[in-house]
């Protein structure tokens, strides 16, 4: 959902998306956990319910033969790390790059995240399990051309900040 690697009338089809708010690496971990453990009182069979090949098979949109998501995306642990910083923490690109992520990869993931907004708006609702989910907590303008270019934001001019602060206080003094 985050970067738009879904098809509107394919894997997005349906009335409710229980994993809409979960990153791919979390989906893999939760799937493996469910195969190894059934919570007490949970309905359904015990034991393996998700075939292991579903978990270990490289994700693909299957738009062409032998295609995988990783042909055009960074590894999911890297992708999810960047997305978590962009979506959950709302970090600017410069901060993510300073944390050690590759500038081009961060910029590409940010671009994919932003241009996929139109798909997310057409998606089925789902549960909120992270700090900030798509839709209610994070909506990005579809027509706005603003993009973070990854440069650090300059420090404010102290003379302007001090003058503005003083003027604001004077306005309330009568």
């Amino acid at each position: 959902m985050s970067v738009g690697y879904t098809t509107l009338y394919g894997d997005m089809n349906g009335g409710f998306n229980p994993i809409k708010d979960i990153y791919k690496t979390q989906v893999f971990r939760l799937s493996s956990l469910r195969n190894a453990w059934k919570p007490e009182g949970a309905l359904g069979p015990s034991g393996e319910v998700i075939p292991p090949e579903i978990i270990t098979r490289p994700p693909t949109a299957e738009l062409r033969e032998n295609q995988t998501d990783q042909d055009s995306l960074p590894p999911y642990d890297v992708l999810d790390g960047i997305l978590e910083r962009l979506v959950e923490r709302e970090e600017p690109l410069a901060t993510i790059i300073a944390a050690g992520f590759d500038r081009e990869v961060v910029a590409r993931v940010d671009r994919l995240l932003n241009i996929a907004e139109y798909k997310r708006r057409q998606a089925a609702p789902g549960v909120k399990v992270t700090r900030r989910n798509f839709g209610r907590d994070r909506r990005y303008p579809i027509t706005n051309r603003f993009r973070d270019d990854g440069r650090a934001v300059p420090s404010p001019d102290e003379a302007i900040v001090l003058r503005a602060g003083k003027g604001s206080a004077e306005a309330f003094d009568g």
Side-chain angles (χ1 to χ4, degrees):
M1 292 295 301
S2 298
V3 293
Y5 274 56
T6 59
T7 53
L8 289 173
Y9 304 106
D11 52 356
M12 284 180 60
N13 195 9
F16 185 71
N17 185 349
I19 62 172
K20 179 178 187 175
D21 198 26
I22 302 175
Y23 297 108
K24 187 72 89 172
T25 53
Q26 293 171 323
V27 171
F28 293 146
R29 285 197 312 266
L30 288 170
S31 299
S32 296
L33 174 66
R34 177 53 186 95
N35 276 349
W37 169 70
K38 176 185 169 193
E40 186 176 323
L43 301 177
S46 295
E48 187 177 283
V49 293
I50 303 168
E53 56 271 12
I54 297 293
I55 301 168
T56 59
R57 178 177 176 234
T60 177
E62 297 179 345
L63 298 175
R64 64 180 185 277
E65 193 171 336
N66 297 320
Q67 174 198 20
T68 67
D69 292 355
Q70 303 294 259
D71 294 344
S72 54
L73 289 176
Y76 275 108
D77 57 335
V78 173
L79 176 65
D80 288 357
I82 295 169
L83 288 170
E84 193 271 334
R85 288 169 173 269
L86 287 169
V87 177
E88 306 296 321
R89 300 184 202 175
E90 294 184 316
E91 289 182 5
L93 299 188
T95 303
I96 299 169
I97 294 163
F101 291 93
D102 179 81
R103 174 181 291 279
E104 288 181 26
V105 173
V106 172
R108 182 160 189 281
V109 169
D110 181 60
R111 180 180 177 281
L112 290 171
L113 175 67
N114 292 329
I115 65 174
E117 181 71 20
Y118 81 97
K119 281 188 177 183
R120 289 190 295 271
R121 295 218 187 152
Q122 298 177 63
V127 295
K128 177 180 177 173
V129 296
T130 58
R131 284 180 277 170
R132 296 184 48 87
N133 69 349
F134 293 115
R136 180 181 173 134
D137 297 330
R138 186 191 190 280
R139 289 180 65 92
Y140 198 85
I142 294 173
T143 58
N144 185 334
R145 290 188 181 259
F146 170 79
R147 297 294 186 263
D148 183 347
D149 62 11
R151 292 182 294 196
V153 177
S155 298
D157 182 336
E158 290 300 319
I160 295 173
V161 172
L162 292 174
R163 197 173 35 213
K166 185 176 182 182
S168 299
E170 290 171 356
F172 292 103
D173 289 340

